[in-house]
Amino acid sequence: MKESTLEKVNALIDRYPVLSVCQASLNEAVKAICDAYRSGGKLLTCGNGGSASDAEHIVGELMKGFILKRPIDDELYRQMKSVCPDEADYLRDNLQGALPAVSLMNAVALNSAFANDQAPDLAMAQQVLGLGKKEDVLIGISTSGNSANVIYAVQMARVKGLKTIGLLGGRECRLKAQCDISICVPEIETYKIQELHLPVYHMLCMAAENEFFDK
């Protein structure tokens, strides 16, 4: 792993010294995410309410350029020229390299059907069952750390051999023990936890982008 990738953790703590208590787990999370991408895996994200929005936000930063430019490489461009020569330049000039990521909050038809027909609190776990593979990482976001649907998703991820990361607050909670890596930001109130979750996951996205797209 590049030194400059792990330096993103130090830069985050320089800006938010309160997060120094999370340094070890932040380093572990960066390594886990980069290992997943290096192995051909993807990132799955989930959460409720504001944390559902955070789950979507993470996907938005990974699936397109975030801080760095992510130009299409020459081999992919050659394939574009072979398949669609008239559109290849337009595709190359406007598409960006992606780090595969899926929000489990986005499958409205599946989630609502499963909630209606089966068990509402297992809709995320059902998606992990269908999408997850051992090369992947699941990030479960919960300010309480006790969200049943996130816990079930994490448990199914463990069943399938995924690495699990909990983005949590400072309370003792069930998810802390369920996750391989628990990033417990040192706040108790929901909105204050969320205020620290954002720079944490921005850093994780920045670090992954740096690892695979920084020249």
Side-chain angles (χ1 to χ4, degrees), residues 69-108:
K69 293 183 178 180
R70 303 187 192 177
I72 298 300
D73 62 43
D74 292 340
E75 177 57 31
L76 185 55
Y77 178 56
R78 281 192 290 272
Q79 294 173 15
M80 291 172 174
K81 292 285 282 186
S82 173
V83 172
C84 44
D86 293 339
E87 292 81 22
D89 286 355
Y90 178 71
L91 294 173
R92 177 199 60 191
D93 293 345
N94 290 283
L95 293 176
Q96 301 171 320
L99 293 166
V102 178
S103 166
L104 304 184
M105 319 320 302
N106 214 6
V108 176

PDB file of all heavy atoms in Angstrom, residues 69-108:
ATOM      1  N   LYS A  69      -8.591  13.087 -10.803  1.00  0.00           N
ATOM      2  CA  LYS A  69      -9.099  12.701 -12.109  1.00  0.00           C
ATOM      3  C   LYS A  69      -8.897  11.193 -12.268  1.00  0.00           C
ATOM      4  O   LYS A  69      -7.934  10.624 -11.771  1.00  0.00           O
ATOM      5  CB  LYS A  69      -8.360  13.447 -13.211  1.00  0.00           C
ATOM      6  CG  LYS A  69      -8.639  14.945 -13.208  1.00  0.00           C
ATOM      7  CD  LYS A  69      -7.935  15.637 -14.357  1.00  0.00           C
ATOM      8  CE  LYS A  69      -8.267  17.127 -14.362  1.00  0.00           C
ATOM      9  NZ  LYS A  69      -7.582  17.839 -15.478  1.00  0.00           N
ATOM     10  N   ARG A  70      -9.808  10.556 -12.961  1.00  0.00           N
ATOM     11  CA  ARG A  70      -9.717   9.106 -13.157  1.00  0.00           C
ATOM     12  C   ARG A  70      -9.870   8.804 -14.647  1.00  0.00           C
ATOM     13  O   ARG A  70     -10.905   8.311 -15.098  1.00  0.00           O
ATOM     14  CB  ARG A  70     -10.801   8.377 -12.368  1.00  0.00           C
ATOM     15  CG  ARG A  70     -10.793   8.647 -10.861  1.00  0.00           C
ATOM     16  CD  ARG A  70     -11.798   7.728 -10.213  1.00  0.00           C
ATOM     17  NE  ARG A  70     -12.096   8.066  -8.830  1.00  0.00           N
ATOM     18  CZ  ARG A  70     -12.994   7.421  -8.108  1.00  0.00           C
ATOM     19  NH1 ARG A  70     -13.687   6.424  -8.649  1.00  0.00           N
ATOM     20  NH2 ARG A  70     -13.237   7.763  -6.853  1.00  0.00           N
ATOM     21  N   PRO A  71      -8.868   9.106 -15.436  1.00  0.00           N
ATOM     22  CA  PRO A  71      -8.994   8.928 -16.885  1.00  0.00           C
ATOM     23  C   PRO A  71      -9.158   7.465 -17.278  1.00  0.00           C
ATOM     24  O   PRO A  71      -8.660   6.559 -16.609  1.00  0.00           O
ATOM     25  CB  PRO A  71      -7.682   9.506 -17.423  1.00  0.00           C
ATOM     26  CG  PRO A  71      -6.723   9.406 -16.275  1.00  0.00           C
ATOM     27  CD  PRO A  71      -7.539   9.611 -15.040  1.00  0.00           C
ATOM     28  N   ILE A  72      -9.856   7.244 -18.373  1.00  0.00           N
ATOM     29  CA  ILE A  72     -10.007   5.910 -18.949  1.00  0.00           C
ATOM     30  C   ILE A  72      -8.651   5.441 -19.469  1.00  0.00           C
ATOM     31  O   ILE A  72      -7.951   6.186 -20.160  1.00  0.00           O
ATOM     32  CB  ILE A  72     -11.041   5.938 -20.086  1.00  0.00           C
ATOM     33  CG1 ILE A  72     -12.419   6.360 -19.551  1.00  0.00           C
ATOM     34  CG2 ILE A  72     -11.105   4.602 -20.810  1.00  0.00           C
ATOM     35  CD1 ILE A  72     -12.982   5.456 -18.485  1.00  0.00           C
ATOM     36  N   ASP A  73      -8.266   4.217 -19.140  1.00  0.00           N
ATOM     37  CA  ASP A  73      -6.942   3.751 -19.544  1.00  0.00           C
ATOM     38  C   ASP A  73      -6.930   3.340 -21.017  1.00  0.00           C
ATOM     39  O   ASP A  73      -7.977   3.168 -21.656  1.00  0.00           O
ATOM     40  CB  ASP A  73      -6.443   2.617 -18.649  1.00  0.00           C
ATOM     41  CG  ASP A  73      -7.308   1.369 -18.704  1.00  0.00           C
ATOM     42  OD1 ASP A  73      -7.729   0.965 -19.812  1.00  0.00           O
ATOM     43  OD2 ASP A  73      -7.568   0.778 -17.646  1.00  0.00           O
ATOM     44  N   ASP A  74      -5.733   3.186 -21.553  1.00  0.00           N
ATOM     45  CA  ASP A  74      -5.575   2.939 -22.989  1.00  0.00           C
ATOM     46  C   ASP A  74      -6.217   1.625 -23.422  1.00  0.00           C
ATOM     47  O   ASP A  74      -6.796   1.547 -24.519  1.00  0.00           O
ATOM     48  CB  ASP A  74      -4.084   2.941 -23.360  1.00  0.00           C
ATOM     49  CG  ASP A  74      -3.453   4.316 -23.225  1.00  0.00           C
ATOM     50  OD1 ASP A  74      -4.211   5.305 -23.214  1.00  0.00           O
ATOM     51  OD2 ASP A  74      -2.218   4.402 -23.122  1.00  0.00           O
ATOM     52  N   GLU A  75      -6.112   0.602 -22.592  1.00  0.00           N
ATOM     53  CA  GLU A  75      -6.692  -0.693 -22.961  1.00  0.00           C
ATOM     54  C   GLU A  75      -8.214  -0.611 -23.078  1.00  0.00           C
ATOM     55  O   GLU A  75      -8.805  -1.131 -24.030  1.00  0.00           O
ATOM     56  CB  GLU A  75      -6.290  -1.754 -21.931  1.00  0.00           C
ATOM     57  CG  GLU A  75      -6.909  -3.129 -22.176  1.00  0.00           C
ATOM     58  CD  GLU A  75      -6.588  -3.708 -23.547  1.00  0.00           C
ATOM     59  OE1 GLU A  75      -5.488  -3.406 -24.090  1.00  0.00           O
ATOM     60  OE2 GLU A  75      -7.438  -4.444 -24.093  1.00  0.00           O
ATOM     61  N   LEU A  76      -8.848   0.062 -22.125  1.00  0.00           N
ATOM     62  CA  LEU A  76     -10.294   0.211 -22.193  1.00  0.00           C
ATOM     63  C   LEU A  76     -10.691   1.065 -23.398  1.00  0.00           C
ATOM     64  O   LEU A  76     -11.692   0.786 -24.071  1.00  0.00           O
ATOM     65  CB  LEU A  76     -10.820   0.829 -20.897  1.00  0.00           C
ATOM     66  CG  LEU A  76     -12.340   0.955 -20.755  1.00  0.00           C
ATOM     67  CD1 LEU A  76     -13.028  -0.397 -20.950  1.00  0.00           C
ATOM     68  CD2 LEU A  76     -12.715   1.547 -19.406  1.00  0.00           C
ATOM     69  N   TYR A  77      -9.903   2.082 -23.675  1.00  0.00           N
ATOM     70  CA  TYR A  77     -10.179   2.919 -24.849  1.00  0.00           C
ATOM     71  C   TYR A  77     -10.091   2.101 -26.133  1.00  0.00           C
ATOM     72  O   TYR A  77     -10.919   2.247 -27.039  1.00  0.00           O
ATOM     73  CB  TYR A  77      -9.206   4.102 -24.887  1.00  0.00           C
ATOM     74  CG  TYR A  77      -9.373   4.997 -26.098  1.00  0.00           C
ATOM     75  CD1 TYR A  77     -10.610   5.587 -26.383  1.00  0.00           C
ATOM     76  CD2 TYR A  77      -8.304   5.245 -26.952  1.00  0.00           C
ATOM     77  CE1 TYR A  77     -10.764   6.413 -27.489  1.00  0.00           C
ATOM     78  CE2 TYR A  77      -8.448   6.063 -28.058  1.00  0.00           C
ATOM     79  CZ  TYR A  77      -9.686   6.641 -28.329  1.00  0.00           C
ATOM     80  OH  TYR A  77      -9.841   7.446 -29.428  1.00  0.00           O
ATOM     81  N   ARG A  78      -9.119   1.205 -26.220  1.00  0.00           N
ATOM     82  CA  ARG A  78      -9.014   0.343 -27.404  1.00  0.00           C
ATOM     83  C   ARG A  78     -10.258  -0.537 -27.545  1.00  0.00           C
ATOM     84  O   ARG A  78     -10.752  -0.747 -28.656  1.00  0.00           O
ATOM     85  CB  ARG A  78      -7.757  -0.514 -27.323  1.00  0.00           C
ATOM     86  CG  ARG A  78      -6.479   0.226 -27.698  1.00  0.00           C
ATOM     87  CD  ARG A  78      -5.317  -0.733 -27.894  1.00  0.00           C
ATOM     88  NE  ARG A  78      -4.872  -1.335 -26.642  1.00  0.00           N
ATOM     89  CZ  ARG A  78      -3.959  -0.778 -25.846  1.00  0.00           C
ATOM     90  NH1 ARG A  78      -3.397   0.380 -26.183  1.00  0.00           N
ATOM     91  NH2 ARG A  78      -3.589  -1.377 -24.732  1.00  0.00           N
ATOM     92  N   GLN A  79     -10.761  -1.011 -26.429  1.00  0.00           N
ATOM     93  CA  GLN A  79     -11.981  -1.818 -26.478  1.00  0.00           C
ATOM     94  C   GLN A  79     -13.178  -0.975 -26.916  1.00  0.00           C
ATOM     95  O   GLN A  79     -14.045  -1.446 -27.665  1.00  0.00           O
ATOM     96  CB  GLN A  79     -12.240  -2.450 -25.116  1.00  0.00           C
ATOM     97  CG  GLN A  79     -11.191  -3.480 -24.712  1.00  0.00           C
ATOM     98  CD  GLN A  79     -11.383  -3.972 -23.286  1.00  0.00           C
ATOM     99  OE1 GLN A  79     -12.425  -3.781 -22.683  1.00  0.00           O
ATOM    100  NE2 GLN A  79     -10.361  -4.621 -22.741  1.00  0.00           N
ATOM    101  N   MET A  80     -13.228   0.265 -26.441  1.00  0.00           N
ATOM    102  CA  MET A  80     -14.287   1.175 -26.880  1.00  0.00           C
ATOM    103  C   MET A  80     -14.224   1.399 -28.394  1.00  0.00           C
ATOM    104  O   MET A  80     -15.247   1.367 -29.081  1.00  0.00           O
ATOM    105  CB  MET A  80     -14.167   2.522 -26.152  1.00  0.00           C
ATOM    106  CG  MET A  80     -14.484   2.488 -24.679  1.00  0.00           C
ATOM    107  SD  MET A  80     -14.084   4.083 -23.900  1.00  0.00           S
ATOM    108  CE  MET A  80     -14.718   3.828 -22.255  1.00  0.00           C
ATOM    109  N   LYS A  81     -13.018   1.605 -28.896  1.00  0.00           N
ATOM    110  CA  LYS A  81     -12.828   1.832 -30.339  1.00  0.00           C
ATOM    111  C   LYS A  81     -13.275   0.607 -31.131  1.00  0.00           C
ATOM    112  O   LYS A  81     -13.826   0.726 -32.232  1.00  0.00           O
ATOM    113  CB  LYS A  81     -11.364   2.142 -30.636  1.00  0.00           C
ATOM    114  CG  LYS A  81     -10.872   3.476 -30.102  1.00  0.00           C
ATOM    115  CD  LYS A  81     -11.378   4.650 -30.927  1.00  0.00           C
ATOM    116  CE  LYS A  81     -10.586   4.806 -32.212  1.00  0.00           C
ATOM    117  NZ  LYS A  81     -11.002   6.044 -32.939  1.00  0.00           N
ATOM    118  N   SER A  82     -13.045  -0.561 -30.563  1.00  0.00           N
ATOM    119  CA  SER A  82     -13.421  -1.794 -31.246  1.00  0.00           C
ATOM    120  C   SER A  82     -14.937  -1.984 -31.266  1.00  0.00           C
ATOM    121  O   SER A  82     -15.508  -2.411 -32.268  1.00  0.00           O
ATOM    122  CB  SER A  82     -12.758  -2.989 -30.555  1.00  0.00           C
ATOM    123  OG  SER A  82     -13.216  -4.206 -31.082  1.00  0.00           O
ATOM    124  N   VAL A  83     -15.591  -1.662 -30.169  1.00  0.00           N
ATOM    125  CA  VAL A  83     -17.031  -1.922 -30.044  1.00  0.00           C
ATOM    126  C   VAL A  83     -17.872  -0.800 -30.646  1.00  0.00           C
ATOM    127  O   VAL A  83     -18.877  -1.048 -31.332  1.00  0.00           O
ATOM    128  CB  VAL A  83     -17.405  -2.119 -28.556  1.00  0.00           C
ATOM    129  CG1 VAL A  83     -18.915  -2.196 -28.375  1.00  0.00           C
ATOM    130  CG2 VAL A  83     -16.739  -3.376 -28.016  1.00  0.00           C
ATOM    131  N   CYS A  84     -17.487   0.435 -30.380  1.00  0.00           N
ATOM    132  CA  CYS A  84     -18.304   1.584 -30.822  1.00  0.00           C
ATOM    133  C   CYS A  84     -17.372   2.710 -31.272  1.00  0.00           C
ATOM    134  O   CYS A  84     -17.204   3.705 -30.554  1.00  0.00           O
ATOM    135  CB  CYS A  84     -19.233   2.045 -29.706  1.00  0.00           C
ATOM    136  SG  CYS A  84     -18.456   2.155 -28.067  1.00  0.00           S
ATOM    137  N   PRO A  85     -16.744   2.563 -32.420  1.00  0.00           N
ATOM    138  CA  PRO A  85     -15.714   3.520 -32.868  1.00  0.00           C
ATOM    139  C   PRO A  85     -16.219   4.959 -32.978  1.00  0.00           C
ATOM    140  O   PRO A  85     -15.465   5.893 -32.701  1.00  0.00           O
ATOM    141  CB  PRO A  85     -15.281   2.970 -34.227  1.00  0.00           C
ATOM    142  CG  PRO A  85     -16.374   2.029 -34.641  1.00  0.00           C
ATOM    143  CD  PRO A  85     -16.944   1.477 -33.388  1.00  0.00           C
ATOM    144  N   ASP A  86     -17.470   5.140 -33.349  1.00  0.00           N
ATOM    145  CA  ASP A  86     -17.976   6.508 -33.531  1.00  0.00           C
ATOM    146  C   ASP A  86     -18.165   7.237 -32.203  1.00  0.00           C
ATOM    147  O   ASP A  86     -18.084   8.470 -32.152  1.00  0.00           O
ATOM    148  CB  ASP A  86     -19.308   6.485 -34.293  1.00  0.00           C
ATOM    149  CG  ASP A  86     -19.152   6.010 -35.726  1.00  0.00           C
ATOM    150  OD1 ASP A  86     -18.022   6.084 -36.257  1.00  0.00           O
ATOM    151  OD2 ASP A  86     -20.145   5.535 -36.299  1.00  0.00           O
ATOM    152  N   GLU A  87     -18.433   6.465 -31.133  1.00  0.00           N
ATOM    153  CA  GLU A  87     -18.683   7.081 -29.827  1.00  0.00           C
ATOM    154  C   GLU A  87     -17.506   6.956 -28.871  1.00  0.00           C
ATOM    155  O   GLU A  87     -17.552   7.487 -27.759  1.00  0.00           O
ATOM    156  CB  GLU A  87     -19.912   6.429 -29.172  1.00  0.00           C
ATOM    157  CG  GLU A  87     -21.240   6.707 -29.866  1.00  0.00           C
ATOM    158  CD  GLU A  87     -21.475   5.821 -31.079  1.00  0.00           C
ATOM    159  OE1 GLU A  87     -20.845   4.749 -31.151  1.00  0.00           O
ATOM    160  OE2 GLU A  87     -22.268   6.213 -31.940  1.00  0.00           O
ATOM    161  N   ALA A  88     -16.448   6.288 -29.278  1.00  0.00           N
ATOM    162  CA  ALA A  88     -15.354   5.974 -28.357  1.00  0.00           C
ATOM    163  C   ALA A  88     -14.728   7.222 -27.744  1.00  0.00           C
ATOM    164  O   ALA A  88     -14.449   7.250 -26.547  1.00  0.00           O
ATOM    165  CB  ALA A  88     -14.293   5.139 -29.068  1.00  0.00           C
ATOM    166  N   ASP A  89     -14.494   8.242 -28.536  1.00  0.00           N
ATOM    167  CA  ASP A  89     -13.856   9.448 -27.996  1.00  0.00           C
ATOM    168  C   ASP A  89     -14.764  10.146 -26.985  1.00  0.00           C
ATOM    169  O   ASP A  89     -14.285  10.637 -25.951  1.00  0.00           O
ATOM    170  CB  ASP A  89     -13.501  10.415 -29.131  1.00  0.00           C
ATOM    171  CG  ASP A  89     -12.304   9.943 -29.944  1.00  0.00           C
ATOM    172  OD1 ASP A  89     -11.683   8.925 -29.570  1.00  0.00           O
ATOM    173  OD2 ASP A  89     -11.993  10.582 -30.963  1.00  0.00           O
ATOM    174  N   TYR A  90     -16.060  10.185 -27.267  1.00  0.00           N
ATOM    175  CA  TYR A  90     -17.005  10.804 -26.339  1.00  0.00           C
ATOM    176  C   TYR A  90     -17.044  10.037 -25.021  1.00  0.00           C
ATOM    177  O   TYR A  90     -17.032  10.635 -23.934  1.00  0.00           O
ATOM    178  CB  TYR A  90     -18.400  10.836 -26.973  1.00  0.00           C
ATOM    179  CG  TYR A  90     -19.467  11.406 -26.077  1.00  0.00           C
ATOM    180  CD1 TYR A  90     -19.500  12.777 -25.782  1.00  0.00           C
ATOM    181  CD2 TYR A  90     -20.452  10.595 -25.522  1.00  0.00           C
ATOM    182  CE1 TYR A  90     -20.485  13.313 -24.957  1.00  0.00           C
ATOM    183  CE2 TYR A  90     -21.438  11.113 -24.700  1.00  0.00           C
ATOM    184  CZ  TYR A  90     -21.445  12.467 -24.420  1.00  0.00           C
ATOM    185  OH  TYR A  90     -22.414  12.994 -23.596  1.00  0.00           O
ATOM    186  N   LEU A  91     -17.068   8.702 -25.119  1.00  0.00           N
ATOM    187  CA  LEU A  91     -17.063   7.888 -23.909  1.00  0.00           C
ATOM    188  C   LEU A  91     -15.783   8.098 -23.108  1.00  0.00           C
ATOM    189  O   LEU A  91     -15.809   8.294 -21.893  1.00  0.00           O
ATOM    190  CB  LEU A  91     -17.223   6.413 -24.277  1.00  0.00           C
ATOM    191  CG  LEU A  91     -18.556   5.995 -24.897  1.00  0.00           C
ATOM    192  CD1 LEU A  91     -18.482   4.550 -25.367  1.00  0.00           C
ATOM    193  CD2 LEU A  91     -19.704   6.184 -23.917  1.00  0.00           C
ATOM    194  N   ARG A  92     -14.640   8.043 -23.792  1.00  0.00           N
ATOM    195  CA  ARG A  92     -13.357   8.213 -23.095  1.00  0.00           C
ATOM    196  C   ARG A  92     -13.260   9.574 -22.429  1.00  0.00           C
ATOM    197  O   ARG A  92     -12.756   9.698 -21.303  1.00  0.00           O
ATOM    198  CB  ARG A  92     -12.207   8.052 -24.093  1.00  0.00           C
ATOM    199  CG  ARG A  92     -10.816   8.283 -23.479  1.00  0.00           C
ATOM    200  CD  ARG A  92      -9.775   8.568 -24.538  1.00  0.00           C
ATOM    201  NE  ARG A  92     -10.127   9.763 -25.304  1.00  0.00           N
ATOM    202  CZ  ARG A  92      -9.500  10.128 -26.428  1.00  0.00           C
ATOM    203  NH1 ARG A  92      -8.516   9.395 -26.904  1.00  0.00           N
ATOM    204  NH2 ARG A  92      -9.878  11.221 -27.075  1.00  0.00           N
ATOM    205  N   ASP A  93     -13.734  10.614 -23.096  1.00  0.00           N
ATOM    206  CA  ASP A  93     -13.555  11.976 -22.586  1.00  0.00           C
ATOM    207  C   ASP A  93     -14.487  12.307 -21.429  1.00  0.00           C
ATOM    208  O   ASP A  93     -14.238  13.255 -20.688  1.00  0.00           O
ATOM    209  CB  ASP A  93     -13.771  12.991 -23.716  1.00  0.00           C
ATOM    210  CG  ASP A  93     -12.698  12.908 -24.790  1.00  0.00           C
ATOM    211  OD1 ASP A  93     -11.650  12.287 -24.537  1.00  0.00           O
ATOM    212  OD2 ASP A  93     -12.929  13.442 -25.899  1.00  0.00           O
ATOM    213  N   ASN A  94     -15.564  11.522 -21.260  1.00  0.00           N
ATOM    214  CA  ASN A  94     -16.546  11.875 -20.242  1.00  0.00           C
ATOM    215  C   ASN A  94     -16.729  10.832 -19.143  1.00  0.00           C
ATOM    216  O   ASN A  94     -17.165  11.187 -18.046  1.00  0.00           O
ATOM    217  CB  ASN A  94     -17.899  12.153 -20.909  1.00  0.00           C
ATOM    218  CG  ASN A  94     -17.869  13.442 -21.703  1.00  0.00           C
ATOM    219  OD1 ASN A  94     -17.939  14.533 -21.140  1.00  0.00           O
ATOM    220  ND2 ASN A  94     -17.742  13.327 -23.021  1.00  0.00           N
ATOM    221  N   LEU A  95     -16.430   9.576 -19.421  1.00  0.00           N
ATOM    222  CA  LEU A  95     -16.506   8.573 -18.366  1.00  0.00           C
ATOM    223  C   LEU A  95     -15.279   8.648 -17.464  1.00  0.00           C
ATOM    224  O   LEU A  95     -14.240   9.176 -17.869  1.00  0.00           O
ATOM    225  CB  LEU A  95     -16.639   7.173 -18.970  1.00  0.00           C
ATOM    226  CG  LEU A  95     -17.950   6.880 -19.713  1.00  0.00           C
ATOM    227  CD1 LEU A  95     -17.912   5.497 -20.333  1.00  0.00           C
ATOM    228  CD2 LEU A  95     -19.155   7.018 -18.776  1.00  0.00           C
ATOM    229  N   GLN A  96     -15.415   8.124 -16.261  1.00  0.00           N
ATOM    230  CA  GLN A  96     -14.328   8.161 -15.275  1.00  0.00           C
ATOM    231  C   GLN A  96     -14.125   6.772 -14.681  1.00  0.00           C
ATOM    232  O   GLN A  96     -15.075   5.986 -14.597  1.00  0.00           O
ATOM    233  CB  GLN A  96     -14.667   9.148 -14.144  1.00  0.00           C
ATOM    234  CG  GLN A  96     -14.894  10.572 -14.623  1.00  0.00           C
ATOM    235  CD  GLN A  96     -15.426  11.459 -13.511  1.00  0.00           C
ATOM    236  OE1 GLN A  96     -16.265  11.057 -12.718  1.00  0.00           O
ATOM    237  NE2 GLN A  96     -14.928  12.681 -13.461  1.00  0.00           N
ATOM    238  N   GLY A  97     -12.900   6.482 -14.267  1.00  0.00           N
ATOM    239  CA  GLY A  97     -12.638   5.217 -13.598  1.00  0.00           C
ATOM    240  C   GLY A  97     -13.486   5.088 -12.348  1.00  0.00           C
ATOM    241  O   GLY A  97     -13.726   6.078 -11.640  1.00  0.00           O
ATOM    242  N   ALA A  98     -13.954   3.865 -12.056  1.00  0.00           N
ATOM    243  CA  ALA A  98     -14.860   3.644 -10.932  1.00  0.00           C
ATOM    244  C   ALA A  98     -14.278   2.635  -9.953  1.00  0.00           C
ATOM    245  O   ALA A  98     -13.567   1.706 -10.339  1.00  0.00           O
ATOM    246  CB  ALA A  98     -16.217   3.150 -11.432  1.00  0.00           C
ATOM    247  N   LEU A  99     -14.603   2.835  -8.681  1.00  0.00           N
ATOM    248  CA  LEU A  99     -14.351   1.854  -7.633  1.00  0.00           C
ATOM    249  C   LEU A  99     -15.714   1.265  -7.279  1.00  0.00           C
ATOM    250  O   LEU A  99     -16.584   1.969  -6.752  1.00  0.00           O
ATOM    251  CB  LEU A  99     -13.702   2.513  -6.415  1.00  0.00           C
ATOM    252  CG  LEU A  99     -12.276   3.032  -6.661  1.00  0.00           C
ATOM    253  CD1 LEU A  99     -11.837   3.967  -5.528  1.00  0.00           C
ATOM    254  CD2 LEU A  99     -11.298   1.879  -6.801  1.00  0.00           C
ATOM    255  N   PRO A 100     -15.961  -0.019  -7.593  1.00  0.00           N
ATOM    256  CA  PRO A 100     -17.313  -0.579  -7.494  1.00  0.00           C
ATOM    257  C   PRO A 100     -17.897  -0.483  -6.085  1.00  0.00           C
ATOM    258  O   PRO A 100     -17.269  -0.901  -5.110  1.00  0.00           O
ATOM    259  CB  PRO A 100     -17.123  -2.041  -7.906  1.00  0.00           C
ATOM    260  CG  PRO A 100     -15.865  -2.051  -8.716  1.00  0.00           C
ATOM    261  CD  PRO A 100     -15.000  -0.985  -8.136  1.00  0.00           C
ATOM    262  N   ALA A 101     -19.083   0.076  -5.994  1.00  0.00           N
ATOM    263  CA  ALA A 101     -19.755   0.257  -4.710  1.00  0.00           C
ATOM    264  C   ALA A 101     -21.261   0.205  -4.927  1.00  0.00           C
ATOM    265  O   ALA A 101     -21.762   0.706  -5.935  1.00  0.00           O
ATOM    266  CB  ALA A 101     -19.354   1.581  -4.065  1.00  0.00           C
ATOM    267  N   VAL A 102     -21.977  -0.390  -3.983  1.00  0.00           N
ATOM    268  CA  VAL A 102     -23.431  -0.551  -4.072  1.00  0.00           C
ATOM    269  C   VAL A 102     -24.052  -0.161  -2.740  1.00  0.00           C
ATOM    270  O   VAL A 102     -23.654  -0.677  -1.689  1.00  0.00           O
ATOM    271  CB  VAL A 102     -23.820  -2.005  -4.408  1.00  0.00           C
ATOM    272  CG1 VAL A 102     -25.338  -2.156  -4.441  1.00  0.00           C
ATOM    273  CG2 VAL A 102     -23.201  -2.456  -5.724  1.00  0.00           C
ATOM    274  N   SER A 103     -25.027   0.737  -2.780  1.00  0.00           N
ATOM    275  CA  SER A 103     -25.808   1.049  -1.586  1.00  0.00           C
ATOM    276  C   SER A 103     -26.997   0.103  -1.504  1.00  0.00           C
ATOM    277  O   SER A 103     -27.782  -0.004  -2.454  1.00  0.00           O
ATOM    278  CB  SER A 103     -26.301   2.496  -1.630  1.00  0.00           C
ATOM    279  OG  SER A 103     -27.299   2.700  -0.649  1.00  0.00           O
ATOM    280  N   LEU A 104     -27.152  -0.567  -0.385  1.00  0.00           N
ATOM    281  CA  LEU A 104     -28.281  -1.469  -0.193  1.00  0.00           C
ATOM    282  C   LEU A 104     -29.585  -0.699   0.015  1.00  0.00           C
ATOM    283  O   LEU A 104     -30.660  -1.306   0.043  1.00  0.00           O
ATOM    284  CB  LEU A 104     -28.022  -2.386   1.004  1.00  0.00           C
ATOM    285  CG  LEU A 104     -26.734  -3.210   0.951  1.00  0.00           C
ATOM    286  CD1 LEU A 104     -26.658  -4.155   2.146  1.00  0.00           C
ATOM    287  CD2 LEU A 104     -26.605  -3.985  -0.354  1.00  0.00           C
ATOM    288  N   MET A 105     -29.499   0.625   0.117  1.00  0.00           N
ATOM    289  CA  MET A 105     -30.681   1.441   0.328  1.00  0.00           C
ATOM    290  C   MET A 105     -31.380   1.784  -0.981  1.00  0.00           C
ATOM    291  O   MET A 105     -32.489   2.305  -0.992  1.00  0.00           O
ATOM    292  CB  MET A 105     -30.307   2.753   1.045  1.00  0.00           C
ATOM    293  CG  MET A 105     -29.294   2.608   2.170  1.00  0.00           C
ATOM    294  SD  MET A 105     -29.558   1.136   3.167  1.00  0.00           S
ATOM    295  CE  MET A 105     -31.218   1.405   3.720  1.00  0.00           C
ATOM    296  N   ASN A 106     -30.764   1.482  -2.093  1.00  0.00           N
ATOM    297  CA  ASN A 106     -31.195   1.994  -3.393  1.00  0.00           C
ATOM    298  C   ASN A 106     -32.191   1.082  -4.089  1.00  0.00           C
ATOM    299  O   ASN A 106     -32.810   1.489  -5.062  1.00  0.00           O
ATOM    300  CB  ASN A 106     -29.961   2.176  -4.291  1.00  0.00           C
ATOM    301  CG  ASN A 106     -30.093   3.358  -5.211  1.00  0.00           C
ATOM    302  OD1 ASN A 106     -31.048   4.115  -5.124  1.00  0.00           O
ATOM    303  ND2 ASN A 106     -29.138   3.504  -6.105  1.00  0.00           N
ATOM    304  N   ALA A 107     -32.342  -0.157  -3.626  1.00  0.00           N
ATOM    305  CA  ALA A 107     -33.200  -1.136  -4.301  1.00  0.00           C
ATOM    306  C   ALA A 107     -34.626  -1.013  -3.764  1.00  0.00           C
ATOM    307  O   ALA A 107     -35.103  -1.854  -2.993  1.00  0.00           O
ATOM    308  CB  ALA A 107     -32.650  -2.544  -4.098  1.00  0.00           C
ATOM    309  N   VAL A 108     -35.332   0.023  -4.205  1.00  0.00           N
ATOM    310  CA  VAL A 108     -36.643   0.339  -3.632  1.00  0.00           C
ATOM    311  C   VAL A 108     -37.640  -0.794  -3.862  1.00  0.00           C
ATOM    312  O   VAL A 108     -38.348  -1.215  -2.939  1.00  0.00           O
ATOM    313  CB  VAL A 108     -37.178   1.660  -4.220  1.00  0.00           C
ATOM    314  CG1 VAL A 108     -38.583   1.948  -3.691  1.00  0.00           C
ATOM    315  CG2 VAL A 108     -36.235   2.807  -3.889  1.00  0.00           C
TER     316      VAL A 108
END
